[in-house]
Amino acid sequence: MTSPGGQGGGGALSTRGGGGARRMKWALELSAGNTRSRGDRQGGQGDVVYPIGYSEKPVPDTSIQETDKNLVEKRCWDVALGPLKQIPMNLFIMYMSGNTISIFPIMMVCMMAWRPIQALMSMSATFKLLESSSQQWLQGLVYLVGNLLGSALAIYKCQSMGLLPTHSSDWLAFIEPPQRMEIMGGGMVL
Amino acid sequence: MEKLIVLCLKFIILCGTVDAVFEDQVGKFDWRQQYVGKVRFSHFDTHMQSSKKVLLATENNVFAAINTRTGELFWRHVDKAGQEGSIDAFLQHGQDAVLVVGDGRVLRSWDINIGGLNWEIVLDSGSFQSACLVGQQDNVKHVAVLKKTAISLHYLSNGHQKWIENLPESDTVDYQVVYSGGNGEVYALGVVPHSHITIVVYSVEDGEVVKQISVEAPWLSDIQASCAVVDQGILTCVDSATVSLYMLDLHVQSQMTQIPLQAMLVSFATTGEKTVAAVMSPKNKTASTLNLFSAETGRRLLDTTLIFNMDPYGGKPEKLHVQAFLKKDDSVGYRVMVQTEDHTLTFIQQPGRVIWTREEALSDVVTMEMVDLPLTGTQAELEGEFGKKADGLFSMVLKRLSSQFILLQAWVAHLWKLFYDARQPRSQVKNDVTIENLSRDEFNLQKMMVMVTASGKLFGIDSKTGSILWRHYLDDIPSNAAFKLIVQRTTAHFPHPPQCTLLIKDKDTGLATLHVFNPIFGKKSHVTPPTMTQPILQSIILPLMDQDYAKVLLLVDDQYKVSAFPSTKNVLQQLQDMASSIYFFLVDSDQGRLSGYRLRTDLSTELIWEVVVPTEVQRIVSVKGKRPNEHVHSQGRVMGDRSVLYKYLNPNLLAVVTESTDLHQERSFIGITLIDGVTGRIFHNAVQRKARGPVHVVHSENWVVYEYWNTKSRRNEFSVIELYEGMELYNSTVFSSLDRPHAPQVLQQSYIFPSSISAMEATLTEKGITSRHLLIGLPSGGILSLPKMFLDPRRPEIVSEQIREENLILYAPELPIRTEWFINYNQSVSGVRGIYTAPSGLESTCLVVAYGLDIYQTRVYPSKQFDVLKDDYDYMLISSVLFALFFATMISKRLAEVKLLNRAWR
């Protein structure tokens, strides 16, 4: 993994060094001052001598360094609005799956119910993600509301499928037989 | 929620759709025993030397042939029940057996080899007396039938009448026996009691009176009871008063000769030229000796002694049926079938070897109960540990360890036995059930059937195999007795033995006795039952227990006073405390009175309600309450809109059936009244006009099903009544008949049933979760398992969405009989008189016993076997798939790890 870093370093060198350096097949710089002159890329560790071609940070990091504050914000809103965006899709799935009870609608409903719950459970992780945003609390609230809406939708689906114990018949099995107050016996005269 | 359960149920049903029996399941869970009843006539088939048949005609109107080697049935014919089919006479000649049936109404001839009917003719009316075969020189061609006033002669080949003659002086002389000696004459023997015998001789050819004489016989009152014509016209009579034998030669007509004897029982038999009398005389208390006497000389024959050991739990010998045969050395040998008071048939060979025994008392079972078998010793040991008082931690631990060790030992022994049995060929492994190794099985499917028979003999039968494990004959049973069997203590209270009580009431005197016994071993209990001096009206079993866990039995005498059994201080104290909540009712069908009583603390009673049914209009036929061991799991029914219609589950509800006294088909009716046994409140009263009994009723949960004959449409009909409390429960925690202000909603519907029925009962399961079926005994011998779903007054006429949701069947007037509903496939059960159902340890399984002439035991699964793996469940496949999958996951896991590692190194 070190070799591309080395080449990249070589690339940077060539752009700055100009035509004179280009003519050389290769060059070795041993002084610390030289490394500093390479730019602020490796500036922090100026007093440590690294082997040739070693690059401490991976190359793509440069882009993060360049991200805009707005971009972070946008990304955070994306995360926060994710659950809400899923709702129309869920509605469509709900409509398609119908109210009959069979294995596929049950699976769909389970998925629909499980995803918001899972999201709500990992709320703290999401908050950490939103930490860098300025509108952290608003985004968090939107995220929460989106998930709650999602689970409400799932519950509504369960309700319309008849899976919620909301009727008296659902509690019928738990009614204990009443206790007898009188003892009675008898019959035809033998 | 509800739908989810339904979905699961559907899966379960899909997994096990087998309803009928597979061929290899025949006889696996069920057994049938066929009986013939108390023997009235018997003939040994002697027309062939090698024949091994004995023909029996019995009081249960059965004509049967039994294998004398094994005691099994060759064939059997069951005639109509009652007087109409009763067998009055039985004659045998060669291959033909001639029967006179129905008080001389029908003359029938059967082929004894195959049991087929040769011919049948209807005789002139008249009270039947006797019949005999008439022949000339060993060539039997006719049958003579003697009636009260006439004698007729019929051809043996086709039954046509040859001649009929009136009897002289038939108003004073009681003609009882007809005889023919093979010389062209027919002798009609009549008796004037305690005076003389009249003999009228007819000619076979034209029926003319040849001669008429009378012989003095002052000791004789009944010829049929004490006399027989043996050999060449020798009338032999036994006088039990003087214990002597009288002989009269009908051809010579001299005085009667008297031979003194010392005997209990006598039977005559003829073989070849010789006629012998087998005489049984008591030897000691447990054995009797049999000897053969020559009928001509009255001398005892040598080497003919046979010893009959009496069963200590059986009755005394009552009748002998002798099969005599000539041995090679021309001496007479014999086998004898001894019939005892308890209707047992024992076939004995010289010198006393019992070849087979048939318990014919079981053809007349009156009542029965099923009792759980006791736990095994080790199980009981473990149970006992919890029952005992704690005495220190250390000893408790020791006790626990020792019982665990015993269990381990038993398990190892069991494993060893399994292994040992597996090595033996299948046929050699015997699974004999004896009274010693009886123990409850895992699912409590094997129980002890305690059967009470009309003869007073009690039986303990293993429900799994049908083998009789104990028998006990009660010899002091009155002829007109009513029985009531009560289980007072079940096997659940180790170490107290289970206890059953049989209440025997003499209907003539009203006096009752109690027989207390252990239902597992049949032994009489050491508990002394109370002696009852007052006539007893009814008994009530209370859920109260004494300190020994025996339920309290209350006996109501004719003064309406109550006595308790057991009546210890503890019990009396409990009764005093509970008295205000103990009620009972009595139904007197003679006076048409239903009355309810309440117990007072001093064990006297007070009348609290009374309903009188006018006896001149209708009479009370039966009263059905609910079974005390019935559990109802669901307290309501789910409607299509998912609301609940609550059932009206009144445990005190009674269904009273009345029939009109007027039996005219336009005016007859039956009535059914639902009445509360505590308060006497009438909830519902239905009258079915133009209907007639017999009414069969089943009362269970919140429904009553009854069946009757519709005289107008001439068909059998079922009617069902269901009671509902409504959409709200009045009080869901306690049920008191005194505090139920709202009357239940009553729904009723009727259906046509394509057959008459002989018995009906509902299935019963442990928790009442399984759906109910009605078990219906049909006269054809089938036992039908009809789902209760078909008898549902909510069956609609028009389909709607909600109805479909509720899974109701559309109303159709006819109830179907589907062949796969017969639980006894081709094992017909004759003359079913009762069906008994008992729950097993498995919720899906209900044990069924149908009794009548035959006994049939099986298991039914009204909702299929949802809690048991099927018999042919493929354990091998499933376990091999499981193991394969397990190993596959292991291997693939390992492979995945290796691959990951490799990728990491790359």
Side-chain angles (χ1 to χ4, degrees):
Chain A
M1 295 302 270
T2 49
S3 52
Q7 273 164 10
L13 185 82
S14 61
T15 47
R16 283 181 200 187
R22 217 170 227 203
R23 258 172 251 135
M24 282 179 258
K25 196 125 191 169
W26 58 274
L28 194 65
E29 290 173 67
L30 290 170
S31 65
N34 268 337
T35 25
R36 184 160 299 189
S37 73
R38 272 171 141 198
D40 49 350
R41 193 154 47 101
Q42 292 167 345
Q45 287 87 27
D47 47 349
V48 185
V49 180
Y50 290 115
I52 307 148
Y54 177 78
S55 147
E56 200 192 352
K57 280 185 183 170
V59 181
D61 277 7
T62 49
S63 63
I64 288 180
Q65 286 294 324
E66 289 154 11
T67 42
D68 198 349
K69 192 86 178 165
N70 281 335
L71 222 58
V72 173
E73 208 87 323
K74 209 178 165 193
R75 177 79 194 127
C76 287
W77 272 117
D78 267 354
V79 171
L81 287 174
L84 274 178
K85 279 180 186 162
Q86 273 189 352
I87 286 177
M89 160 86 148
N90 277 352
L91 275 170
F92 180 69
I93 292 174
M94 262 170 63
Y95 169 72
M96 290 304 282
S97 60
N99 279 345
T100 51
I101 295 195
S102 61
I103 192 84
F104 283 104
I106 291 274
M107 268 163 63
M108 301 247 180
V109 168
C110 284
M111 288 275 282
M112 273 168 64
W114 182 238
R115 228 183 284 154
I117 290 168
Q118 213 174 15
L120 288 174
M121 298 238 279
S122 57
M123 201 63 182
S124 55
T126 320
F127 260 76
K128 210 163 268 174
L129 211 74
L130 299 175
E131 225 163 26
S132 48
S133 164
S134 57
Q135 292 165 304
Q136 183 189 359
W137 290 110
L138 182 64
Q139 284 164 348
L141 193 70
V142 169
Y143 184 77
L144 182 74
V145 167
N147 276 318
L148 284 178
L149 269 179
S151 49
L153 208 62
I155 287 170
Y156 170 73
K157 181 68 183 170
C158 285
Q159 159 77 22
S160 61
M161 281 173 84
L163 293 176
L164 288 187
T166 50
H167 290 83
S168 52
S169 59
D170 300 318
W171 304 99
L172 184 62
F174 301 101
I175 302 177
E176 289 293 312
Q179 199 193 338
R180 252 182 108 156
M181 291 305 281
E182 293 96 11
I183 300 169
M184 191 213 58
M188 292 275 235
V189 171
L190 285 175
Chain B
M1 188 77 169
E2 194 70 31
K3 283 183 180 178
L4 198 69
I5 295 166
V6 170
L7 181 73
C8 296
L9 278 178
K10 273 181 189 164
F11 271 107
I12 289 160
I13 289 163
L14 280 176
C15 291
T17 43
V18 177
D19 196 12
V21 199
F22 285 112
E23 201 176 350
D24 59 342
Q25 282 181 319
V26 165
K28 195 167 177 187
F29 306 117
D30 62 319
W31 50 263
R32 175 180 64 163
Q33 286 169 356
Q34 291 185 304
Y35 294 96
V36 293
K38 188 188 179 188
V39 175
R40 190 179 279 172
F41 306 106
S42 76
H43 272 290
F44 286 92
D45 177 21
T46 49
H47 86 280
M48 259 178 354
Q49 200 62 44
S50 60
S51 174
K52 45 184 183 184
K53 273 195 197 80
V54 57
L55 301 163
L56 303 175
T58 70
E59 314 234 310
N60 291 39
N61 306 347
V62 173
F63 179 49
I66 286 178
N67 189 335
T68 54
R69 307 270 156 83
T70 61
E72 276 156 18
L73 284 174
F74 276 123
W75 47 260
R76 185 180 73 168
H77 292 286
V78 186
D79 209 333
K80 284 174 197 152
Q83 188 59 38
E84 227 181 322
S86 77
I87 298 167
D88 301 315
F90 171 28
L91 307 165
Q92 192 216 337
H93 173 73
Q95 303 193 26
D96 297 329
V98 179
L99 296 183
V100 181
V101 178
D103 197 19
R105 196 177 50 83
V106 178
L107 191 66
R108 271 191 205 130
S109 168
W110 299 90
D111 185 307
I112 62 168
N113 286 332
I114 53 166
L117 184 69
N118 289 333
W119 49 259
E120 176 187 84
I121 57 153
V122 179
L123 298 175
D124 294 341
S125 61
S127 176
F128 173 78
Q129 292 292 347
S130 167
C132 82
L133 295 165
V134 180
Q136 276 172 312
Q137 283 91 41
D138 289 342
N139 188 8
V140 179
K141 278 186 175 164
H142 302 104
V143 183
V145 178
L146 181 76
K147 296 216 172 181
K148 198 97 186 161
T149 55
I151 180 168
S152 60
L153 204 70
H154 300 265
Y155 290 100
L156 186 61
S157 54
N158 54 16
H160 292 313
Q161 186 175 295
K162 188 170 184 186
W163 50 258
I164 182 162
E165 290 292 329
N166 282 327
L167 292 164
E169 300 168 47
S170 59
D171 46 343
T172 54
V173 182
D174 188 10
Y175 288 95
Q176 287 182 333
V177 172
V178 64
Y179 163 76
S180 170
N183 52 1
E185 288 170 341
V186 180
Y187 297 77
L189 276 67
V191 64
V192 178
H194 307 295
S195 167
H196 61 271
I197 301 174
T198 304
I199 302 166
V200 187
V201 186
Y202 291 91
S203 158
V204 169
E205 290 307 317
D206 48 7
E208 252 181 77
V209 177
V210 180
K211 54 187 166 186
Q212 188 174 353
I213 34 165
S214 67
V215 180
E216 290 295 314
W219 47 269
L220 188 70
S221 58
D222 192 1
I223 300 183
Q224 268 175 336
S226 49
C227 295
V229 184
V230 297
D231 201 26
Q232 296 296 318
I234 300 169
L235 179 72
T236 316
C237 297
V238 179
D239 181 14
S240 52
T242 58
V243 199
S244 43
L245 198 67
Y246 290 91
M247 303 275 214
L248 171 67
D249 194 330
L250 293 176
H251 303 290
V252 189
Q253 285 104 30
S254 56
Q255 284 289 311
M256 282 196 138
T257 46
Q258 184 184 358
I259 303 162
L261 287 170
Q262 186 57 254
M264 259 161 71
L265 283 173
V266 179
S267 175
F268 297 97
T270 312
T271 175
E273 298 292 294
K274 294 180 181 169
T275 299
V276 288
V279 177
M280 181 178 258
S281 45
K283 189 180 168 198
N284 52 34
K285 268 190 182 165
T286 59
S288 299
T289 51
L290 268 163
N291 281 298
L292 278 196
F293 288 84
S294 163
E296 285 111 62
T297 58
R299 268 201 316 244
R300 198 171 80 84
L301 299 176
L302 289 176
D303 293 333
T304 55
T305 309
L306 188 149
I307 294 161
F308 171 65
N309 287 311
M310 276 185 275
D311 183 0
Y313 302 111
K316 292 190 192 74
E318 197 178 45
K319 215 167 170 186
L320 298 176
H321 307 272
V322 180
Q323 179 190 24
F325 51 86
L326 284 178
K327 287 185 189 162
K328 276 177 189 153
D329 58 351
D330 217 30
S331 64
V332 182
Y334 71 115
R335 295 187 197 99
V336 65
M337 190 164 72
V338 184
Q339 186 182 344
T340 47
E341 281 171 342
D342 54 344
H343 306 180
T344 307
L345 292 178
T346 316
F347 196 61
I348 314 173
Q349 207 174 22
Q350 264 181 300
R353 193 171 71 86
V354 176
I355 303 174
W356 50 260
T357 335
R358 283 182 71 89
E359 293 288 356
E360 291 301 339
L362 282 172
S363 68
D364 207 354
V365 174
V366 182
T367 174
M368 67 167 292
E369 282 289 340
M370 269 184 162
V371 184
D372 293 352
L373 291 177
L375 300 164
T376 55
T378 48
Q379 287 168 323
E381 174 80 19
L382 212 64
E383 290 276 315
E385 191 187 328
F386 299 110
K388 277 172 209 154
K389 293 260 183 332
D391 39 21
L393 191 68
F394 186 66
S395 62
M396 287 279 277
V397 170
L398 266 189
K399 218 180 275 174
R400 160 52 59 92
L401 282 180
S402 68
S403 54
Q404 296 275 6
F405 179 71
I406 291 169
L407 273 184
L408 184 75
Q409 233 177 352
W411 186 65
V412 170
H414 173 72
L415 278 190
W416 171 248
K417 191 176 176 294
L418 269 186
F419 175 68
Y420 192 76
D421 282 351
R423 283 168 54 213
Q424 304 257 346
R426 184 62 58 95
S427 56
Q428 280 183 22
V429 181
K430 269 193 238 162
N431 277 326
D432 277 344
V433 182
T434 59
I435 215 152
E436 282 78 28
N437 64 18
L438 269 185
S439 67
R440 198 181 301 179
D441 58 337
E442 252 174 318
F443 298 127
N444 201 4
L445 289 164
Q446 189 178 9
K447 293 198 180 196
M448 178 66 85
M449 292 159 54
V450 180
M451 293 190 136
V452 181
T453 63
S455 66
K457 197 168 188 183
L458 311 181
F459 290 92
I461 300 176
D462 172 30
S463 76
K464 197 173 183 184
T465 57
S467 54
I468 297 170
L469 296 176
W470 58 264
R471 58 205 96 195
H472 188 91
Y473 180 61
L474 305 170
D475 46 7
D476 50 354
I477 298 293
S479 58
N480 188 10
F483 297 93
K484 193 169 177 185
L485 182 63
I486 304 128
V487 181
Q488 275 197 298
R489 193 192 297 133
T490 59
T491 32
H493 305 287
F494 185 82
H496 299 288
Q499 182 180 323
C500 272
T501 303
L502 181 66
L503 177 75
I504 307 150
K505 183 188 170 183
D506 187 345
K507 277 186 186 165
D508 300 330
T509 62
L511 290 173
T513 50
L514 289 180
H515 174 69
V516 186
F517 62 100
N518 180 335
I520 304 299
F521 300 107
K523 294 205 180 74
K524 198 170 174 177
S525 170
H526 59 270
V527 180
T528 43
T531 47
M532 287 163 285
T533 48
Q534 291 282 342
I536 295 295
L537 295 182
Q538 199 29 284
S539 70
I540 301 137
I541 186 90
L542 300 179
L544 307 177
M545 287 185 192
D546 72 345
Q547 68 272 31
D548 291 338
Y549 305 102
K551 281 186 187 162
V552 178
L553 185 69
L554 286 188
L555 298 155
V556 186
D557 64 20
D558 63 345
Q559 302 298 313
Y560 304 103
K561 279 244 163 56
V562 164
S563 55
F565 166 66
S567 57
T568 55
K569 218 171 192 178
N570 179 321
V571 168
L572 293 177
Q573 184 59 45
Q574 283 192 57
L575 272 180
Q576 264 186 19
D577 297 345
M578 297 287 291
S580 59
S581 64
I582 297 174
Y583 297 80
F584 66 93
F585 69 97
L586 290 172
V587 181
D588 191 339
S589 89
D590 297 333
Q591 296 171 24
R593 216 153 54 91
L594 287 104
S595 33
Y597 299 84
R598 188 169 68 186
L599 201 66
R600 289 213 195 103
T601 43
D602 58 344
L603 293 189
S604 63
T605 56
E606 65 175 318
L607 182 75
I608 50 173
W609 58 269
E610 192 170 45
V611 174
V612 179
V613 178
T615 45
E616 56 271 18
V617 183
Q618 52 187 342
R619 67 195 164 83
I620 301 166
V621 184
S622 68
V623 178
K624 279 275 170 91
K626 284 170 190 170
R627 292 181 63 167
N629 57 346
E630 179 183 271
H631 290 273
V632 183
H633 179 71
S634 180
Q635 299 295 306
R637 279 183 64 165
V638 181
M639 300 287 98
D641 58 355
R642 299 178 64 202
S643 60
V644 178
L645 186 59
Y646 288 99
K647 294 174 184 172
Y648 182 73
L649 296 165
N650 183 348
N652 308 321
L653 193 70
L654 306 171
V656 181
V657 181
T658 55
E659 282 178 23
S660 63
T661 44
D662 189 353
L663 289 177
H664 186 270
Q665 62 165 359
E666 285 295 315
R667 293 186 295 272
S668 70
F669 65 89
I670 61 147
I672 188 151
T673 310
L674 301 181
I675 188 166
D676 190 299
V678 170
T679 58
R681 184 177 173 189
I682 294 174
F683 291 119
H684 182 64
N685 192 356
V687 171
Q688 233 88 27
R689 293 195 187 285
K690 292 171 186 167
R692 199 195 294 166
V695 183
H696 298 272
V697 200
V698 173
H699 182 190
S700 177
E701 290 190 21
N702 65 329
W703 47 265
V704 180
V705 171
Y706 58 101
E707 188 262 8
Y708 53 89
W709 170 256
N710 185 331
T711 52
K712 188 188 175 197
S713 313
R714 306 182 61 75
R715 64 191 180 201
N716 288 286
E717 289 184 356
F718 263 102
S719 197
V720 55
I721 299 174
E722 282 192 5
L723 300 169
Y724 290 100
E725 198 154 317
M727 296 312 212
E728 297 285 324
L729 268 182
Y730 175 70
N731 185 345
S732 62
T733 50
V734 291
F735 190 98
S736 167
S737 288
L738 302 168
D739 179 32
R740 284 273 148 166
H742 310 297
Q745 302 171 6
V746 182
L747 305 173
Q748 183 160 14
Q749 218 169 52
S750 297
Y751 313 88
I752 304 165
F753 192 66
S755 165
S756 66
I757 71 172
S758 45
M760 181 159 71
E761 187 55 87
T763 57
L764 191 66
T765 50
E766 178 102 356
K767 299 261 182 271
I769 298 168
T770 309
S771 61
R772 310 292 295 271
H773 278 201
L774 286 173
L775 299 168
I776 302 167
L778 303 179
S780 61
I783 297 169
L784 190 75
S785 179
L786 180 72
K788 168 67 180 55
M789 206 162 62
F790 281 89
L791 293 162
D792 180 356
R794 300 196 67 256
R795 278 176 72 175
E797 287 177 44
I798 310 148
V799 203
S800 72
E801 185 57 40
Q802 293 207 346
I803 296 301
R804 205 174 292 139
E805 198 83 340
E806 225 182 308
N807 275 332
L808 288 175
I809 310 163
L810 269 190
Y811 179 75
E814 290 92 3
L815 287 175
I817 292 186
R818 296 198 186 138
T819 41
E820 70 265 23
W821 285 350
F822 285 103
I823 57 170
N824 56 341
Y825 45 106
N826 64 353
Q827 308 256 48
S828 299
V829 189
S830 285
V832 180
R833 256 179 292 109
I835 296 173
Y836 180 87
T837 52
S840 73
L842 283 175
E843 172 54 32
S844 66
T845 311
C846 168
L847 303 176
V848 179
V849 182
Y851 55 87
L853 185 62
D854 300 342
I855 296 175
Y856 180 75
Q857 192 277 142
T858 189
R859 300 173 191 170
V860 288
Y861 319 101
S863 297
K864 315 275 164 58
Q865 279 183 288
F866 57 81
D867 48 5
V868 185
L869 290 180
K870 270 189 296 174
D871 258 2
D872 53 353
Y873 186 76
D874 207 338
Y875 292 94
M876 279 305 285
L877 183 76
I878 298 288
S879 47
S880 55
V881 164
L882 264 181
F883 276 113
L885 283 176
F886 177 71
F887 284 118
T889 23
M890 295 288 280
I891 291 163
S892 54
K893 193 181 170 194
R894 175 89 195 121
L895 286 178
E897 273 173 5
V898 168
K899 197 171 180 189
L900 268 180
L901 195 66
N902 282 342
R903 193 190 284 161
W905 277 109
R906 212 185 297 150

